[in-house]
Each structure stands twice: as structure tokens, then as C-alpha cells.
Amino acid sequence: MAVTKKAEGVAKEKKKGGGFRETVLLLIMGVGIALLLQAFVIGSFYIPSESMQNTLEIQDRLFVNKLAGKPERGDIVVFKGWKGGEDTIKRVIGIGGDHVKCCDAKKRITVNGTPLDEDYLYPGDYPSGDDFDVKVPAGKLWLMGDHRSASADSRAHMDLPGGGFISEDAVVGKAVLRYWPLSRGYLFSRPDTFDKVK
């Protein structure tokens, strides 16, 4: 009897030890998967400035899809920006081959001659305080903030060697979801105005 009780006790100890090891293993695997997702699939980003208001406010947090494919007009993208490759966020206005101009008779930006009705602009702001007329090179992007008067975007970097354009290869990913604050949770989509551009 004593031997049987001892054996039962040892079995229980082994079971407890095995359960603990499984828990630790699952925890390590979970952390590993989360790190892989963060590195290659989904990134979380913090908004440090007012350049994308009111679409994105200071201290908003969002998820970015790193596997979303080539950026399209209207997408909000995180990219390695003009300031020493810092993560920067702006809206894609023009892609390779596009002719982007400011402004038409109604003070609207045009892409390939099509005027943009930019409902996402900061209230009371204007499409651009500076006139410009650019042809976007292949593989490059023309990017602008939604709060135009507070955004150091492609317009502010036209005198640099890259002409203000950003390479598609510099894009980290497309914004898909604002998750913080919870009261401002939002799933991003491309504005309809870009569907009219030929």
C-alpha cells in the first residue's frame, strides 16, 4: 500500500511539473509568434504630430499591414521618411506615372487632370498653400498630410535630391485600424475621390 501511495504521489508531482512546463512553453511560443507578426505582418505605430489631423490625432495608435502590397492613391502609409529614415505617416496622393498639380481654378489638387474632393482635410485648411506641378517617377510616391498647413510632406522636400518623392520600397505598410483611443476606433479605407482618377 505504501509503495502505491508513493507512486501516486510521484505521478502527481510529474503531472504538476509537466503542466508548468507546458504553460511556460506555450507562453514562449505566444511571445515568439507575436514578435514575428510585429516584425513581418502587423506593426503598431504612435502618432507624434498634428500633420494628419483630423484623420489621426496626436497620441492615436494604429495597426499597419506590412503585407498589404503596393501603395495606392488615397492610402495612408507609414514609411521611412525624410528625417534620417524615421517612421513617418502621410497619405499617398500620387503614384508612379501620375501628374500631380496644385491647383485648379477651384483651388483643388488634380491628379492626371482629375480634381480631388478631399473631404478628409483638416477643417478650414486648404489643399496646399504652395503651387506645384510634378510628374511622379516610376516606383515613387507623392505624399501629403491631411492637415496641409501643418505637414512637412513631399512639398516641403522638393529641393532635396529626391525631389520630395519617396520610394515605394521605403513604405513599411498601410494603415488599417486605429485602435487607440477605443472611443475613436476606426477601420481605414481609401476615399472615393481617388476612384475617379485615370
Side-chain angles (χ1 to χ4, degrees):
M1 275 303 251
V3 174
T4 306
K5 282 184 180 177
K6 190 175 180 181
E8 284 176 3
V10 169
K12 282 181 182 175
E13 286 299 317
K14 281 186 178 177
K15 194 172 183 182
K16 282 183 187 175
F20 177 72
R21 278 194 296 273
E22 284 178 13
T23 302
V24 170
L25 183 61
L26 286 171
L27 186 61
I28 291 169
M29 285 175 59
V31 170
I33 289 169
L35 290 172
L36 285 171
L37 287 172
Q38 171 75 18
F40 300 109
V41 183
I42 297 288
S44 176
F45 291 89
Y46 162 84
I47 304 305
S49 75
E50 69 271 22
S51 72
M52 284 295 292
Q53 287 176 324
N54 280 341
T55 307
L56 294 167
E57 297 287 354
I58 297 171
Q59 297 185 1
D60 279 358
R61 293 184 182 272
L62 63 147
F63 286 129
V64 168
N65 182 353
K66 297 182 178 183
L67 300 178
K70 281 182 78 165
E72 299 179 58
R73 299 180 199 100
D75 286 340
I76 297 171
V77 296
V78 171
F79 58 98
K80 298 297 179 186
W82 298 281
K83 289 186 183 177
E86 282 182 15
D87 285 341
T88 307
I89 188 162
K90 302 289 180 203
R91 189 180 296 275
V92 178
I93 302 298
I95 58 175
D98 283 346
H99 178 200
V100 186
K101 185 177 178 180
C102 180
C103 288
D104 70 0
K106 294 184 179 178
K107 303 296 182 192
R108 297 172 297 184
I109 288 175
T110 62
V111 180
N112 301 333
T114 302
L116 300 179
D117 295 313
E118 300 184 280
D119 297 338
Y120 47 79
L121 288 184
Y122 185 76
D125 213 348
Y126 38 81
S128 180
D130 304 313
D131 290 341
F132 59 86
D133 188 341
V134 297
K135 180 78 181 272
V136 185
K140 303 288 185 180
L141 303 170
W142 181 264
L143 300 148
M144 299 177 77
D146 289 356
H147 190 170
R148 298 284 160 79
S149 59
S151 179
D153 48 39
S154 286
R155 297 167 300 163
H157 298 89
M158 292 176 70
D159 293 335
L160 296 179
F165 303 108
I166 288 290
S167 171
E168 289 179 358
D169 295 337
V171 173
V172 175
K174 297 180 187 181
V176 289
L177 175 71
R178 180 175 55 224
Y179 68 88
W180 191 262
L182 292 175
S183 61
R184 283 173 38 78
Y186 185 75
L187 193 63
F188 294 107
S189 60
R190 289 175 60 247
D192 293 341
T193 190
F194 290 95
D195 293 337
K196 303 170 188 171
V197 178
K198 302 289 187 245

